[in-house]
């Protein structure tokens, strides 16, 4: 039997809408030319439906024109530091405080600049901006005379290139860092204008503290009715289900927990329908699992030395049963693991004193995935870490005639 044409078209429409939504979640800023050109066309084609869904369920705005698409993703937890900007290189190292400051200063210079700019000229503008007395009072100072400062500016420029804010015309960043040359860029002003994702203009903010300023920048309309309060909770919970690896019930207040208990099926079904994410509901919380494994910026397990160390430390931490574990204990454990598994690790990871860096990298990754919580002295395992627990070794029955021998196995814990 042939499938009716209407069903085929409906299936094609749903597949395109899902692909467009997943692309926006992974890459909230899209440009018409570049690696996501095909996905951009899908977003533009289905802009009306996507705009309605994100506005209703998350409160995120979607702006689409002929050259750009920008999903204004505002996190539910403004102080969450587990999703930093990262280098546009293979290492994907997280941005430091200095690089964030350089990024803001560079954007300010580009906003007031011309349609083209040289990297050296941009550096001069950043130095001038950094001379503001208010920045100096905060301990911020740049001369860009040192190589490490120029490397930081180059990392900022590469991020802007990856976002489409800049387009390289000539030269490269390495020549500028080494002092052997310069680079020239076109400034894509339309993309630049869409970078900021706030509900209020920064010039309208009057608060002093950074937390208060963030809250004022992203504040919704006054919640002066039950309907508006319920809408705000629906949006906040949906944002966390989409953005956070795990939504723990103990992180919610009483009103949010009551709302989630009543509306859990509705909220997760709406997300699944649009994105294909599948709800994994446990006693401690909810995780929206991605069967296609491409909607995450941090993966586990991961290949390589860092991935191996992280997985082994996760196994070690599950034995703590939720009790705090000090950084010193983690370093001792990594030293023990190096003696056992070091032959499979990189040379630098086997060097004396490498334990501290390996532990820090693993802790950052585990915290980003919601598997641990950091404390001043170490970490506290969170319930979702139990999926990496390993039970005792189980030796299967020896081979008999007509069977195949199976080696000893370590079975996953049923927790």
């Amino acid at each position: 039997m042939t499938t009716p044409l209407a069903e085929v078209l409906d299936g094609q429409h749903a597949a395109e809408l899902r692909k467009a939504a997943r692309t926006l979640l992974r890459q909230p800023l899209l440009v018409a030319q570049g690696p996501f050109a095909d996905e951009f066309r899908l977003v533009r084609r289905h802009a009306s439906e996507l705009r309605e869904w994100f506005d209703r369920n998350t409160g995120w705005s979607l702006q689409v024109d002929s050259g750009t698409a920008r999903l204004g993703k505002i996190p539910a937890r403004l102080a969450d530091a587990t999703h930093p900007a990262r280098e546009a290189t293979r290492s994907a190292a997280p941005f430091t405080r200095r690089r964030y400051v350089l990024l803001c200063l560079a954007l300010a210079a580009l906003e007031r600049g011309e349609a083209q700019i040289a990297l050296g000229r941009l550096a001069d503008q950043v130095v001038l901006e950094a001379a503001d007395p208010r920045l100096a009072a905060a301990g911020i100072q740049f001369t860009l005379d040192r190589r490490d400062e120029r490397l930081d500016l180059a990392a900022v420029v590469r991020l802007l290139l990856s976002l489409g804010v800049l387009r390289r015309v000539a030269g490269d960043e390495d020549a500028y860092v080494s002092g052997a040359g310069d680079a020239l860029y076109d400034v894509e002003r339309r993309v630049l204008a869409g970078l900021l994702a706030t509900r209020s203009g920064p010039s309208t903010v009057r608060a002093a503290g950074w937390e208060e300023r963030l809250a004022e920048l992203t504040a919704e309309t006054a919640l002066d009715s039950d309907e508006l309060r319920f809408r705000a909770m629906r949006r906040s919970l949906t944002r966390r289900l989409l953005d956070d690896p795990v939504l723990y019930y103990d992180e919610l207040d009483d009103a949010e927990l009551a709302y989630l208990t009543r509306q859990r099926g509705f909220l997760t079904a709406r997300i699944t329908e649009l994105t294909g994410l599948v709800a994994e509901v446990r006693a401690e919380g909810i995780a929206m699992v991605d069967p296609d494994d491409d909607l995450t910026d941090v993966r586990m397990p991961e290949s390589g030395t860092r991935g191996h160390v992280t997985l082994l430390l996760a196994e070690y931490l599950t034995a703590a049963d939720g009790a705090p574990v000090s950084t010193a204990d983690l370093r001792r454990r990594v030293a023990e693991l190096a003696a056992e598994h070091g032959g499979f690790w990189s040379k630098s990871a086997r060097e004396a004193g490498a334990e501290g860096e390996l532990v820090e990298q693993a802790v950052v990754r585990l915290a980003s995935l919601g598997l641990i919580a950091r404390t001043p002295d170490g970490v506290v395992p969170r319930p979702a870490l139990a999926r990496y627990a390993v039970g005792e070794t189980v030796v299967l029955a020896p081979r008999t005639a007509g069977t195949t021998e199976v080696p000893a196995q370590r079975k996953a814990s049923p927790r």
Side-chain angles (χ1 to χ4, degrees):
M1 296 178 63
T2 59
T3 304
L5 178 60
E7 292 184 18
V8 174
L9 294 177
D10 287 345
Q12 180 180 347
H13 176 272
E16 288 185 354
L17 187 64
R18 175 171 295 182
K19 185 176 182 179
R22 290 173 64 91
T23 301
L24 284 171
L25 291 173
R26 187 172 67 251
Q27 192 78 14
L29 176 59
L30 297 171
V31 295
Q33 305 297 325
F36 295 99
D38 292 340
E39 289 83 354
F40 170 80
R41 286 191 286 271
L42 288 181
V43 169
R44 194 176 182 198
R45 183 181 305 165
H46 300 286
S48 178
E49 288 178 84
L50 291 167
R51 186 179 296 111
E52 190 278 331
W53 194 97
F54 282 115
D55 178 67
R56 174 176 174 77
N57 294 283
T58 66
W60 294 337
S61 63
L62 176 61
Q63 304 294 329
V64 181
D65 57 33
S66 60
T68 62
R70 178 67 163 116
L71 179 63
K73 290 182 67 177
I74 296 175
R77 296 184 297 167
L78 299 177
D80 181 14
T82 61
H83 302 288
R86 296 183 178 274
E87 285 185 12
T89 61
R90 185 176 180 180
S91 69
F95 264 37
T96 61
R97 179 175 182 267
R98 185 164 71 181
R99 288 187 178 183
Y100 275 119
V101 175
L102 279 173
L103 174 61
C104 294
L105 294 177
L107 290 173
L110 291 173
E111 178 65 27
R112 291 191 290 269
E114 303 296 330
Q116 278 193 336
I117 192 167
L119 181 48
R121 174 62 175 167
L122 178 60
D124 292 340
Q125 292 294 319
V126 166
V127 171
L128 288 175
E129 296 283 353
D132 187 303
R134 291 170 295 182
L135 293 178
I140 297 170
Q141 183 178 7
F142 297 112
T143 63
L144 295 178
D145 292 333
R146 303 198 314 268
R147 178 180 172 83
D148 62 323
E149 288 186 326
R150 295 196 299 272
L151 280 170
D152 284 339
L153 182 60
V156 166
V157 167
R158 290 187 179 114
L159 175 64
L160 296 176
L161 285 166
S162 70
L163 292 172
V165 176
L166 297 177
R167 185 165 56 84
R168 189 185 293 111
V169 177
D172 61 63
E173 297 76 42
D174 292 335
Y176 165 77
V177 171
S178 64
D182 208 338
L184 180 66
Y185 308 99
D186 285 336
V187 181
E188 302 293 340
R189 308 203 68 82
R190 182 178 293 176
V191 184
L192 175 63
L195 274 187
L196 196 61
T198 64
R199 295 192 178 97
S200 301
S203 61
T204 67
V205 174
R206 295 291 179 263
W210 72 271
E211 291 183 346
E212 293 78 10
R213 290 177 66 83
L214 281 177
E216 194 171 333
L217 277 170
T218 58
E220 297 190 66
T221 55
L223 306 178
D224 52 6
S225 69
D226 288 341
E227 180 180 355
L228 291 177
R229 283 188 287 271
F230 288 146
R231 185 186 70 177
M233 281 190 283
R234 180 181 70 245
R235 288 175 167 179
S236 175
L237 291 168
T238 303
R239 289 197 296 268
R240 294 190 62 176
L241 288 169
L242 285 170
D243 259 358
D244 296 351
V246 186
L247 172 59
Y248 288 110
Y249 298 142
D250 62 8
E251 296 175 341
L252 305 177
D253 60 33
D254 292 341
E256 289 173 326
L257 182 57
Y259 184 86
L260 181 60
T261 301
R262 295 193 307 269
Q263 301 293 330
R264 184 184 66 197
F266 170 77
L267 294 177
T268 56
R270 292 279 289 175
I271 293 174
T272 300
E273 180 184 13
L274 180 73
T275 67
L277 298 175
V278 179
E280 182 179 297
V281 182
R282 297 295 182 93
E284 301 87 2
I286 305 172
M288 299 302 299
V289 179
D290 181 18
D292 296 330
D293 191 32
D294 63 0
L295 281 186
T296 181
D297 53 352
V298 178
R299 285 181 169 80
M300 183 173 169
E302 185 184 50
S303 60
T305 299
R306 291 185 302 173
H308 192 201
V309 172
T310 303
L311 191 61
L312 292 172
L313 280 185
E315 178 184 341
Y316 171 69
L317 287 168
T318 58
D321 289 326
V325 179
S326 70
T327 302
D329 285 340
L330 293 176
R331 290 175 178 170
R332 282 193 292 269
R333 181 55 181 162
V334 168
E336 295 170 354
L337 293 170
E340 182 178 354
H341 302 283
F344 302 100
W345 294 0
S346 65
K347 181 180 179 180
S348 61
R350 300 194 301 270
E351 294 177 353
E355 297 87 359
E357 183 179 355
L358 291 172
V359 166
E360 177 61 20
Q361 292 171 346
V363 166
V364 168
R365 182 171 295 272
L366 293 172
S368 298
L369 292 169
L371 301 176
I372 61 172
R374 302 195 71 163
T375 68
D377 300 321
V379 303
V380 176
R382 298 292 281 146
L385 189 67
R387 66 164 49 219
Y388 295 97
V390 177
E392 296 297 325
T393 299
V394 177
V395 180
L396 302 182
R399 181 177 60 181
T400 59
T403 65
T404 301
E405 184 175 359
V406 181
Q409 298 180 351
R410 303 184 76 190
K411 302 188 73 175
S413 166
R415 287 186 295 168

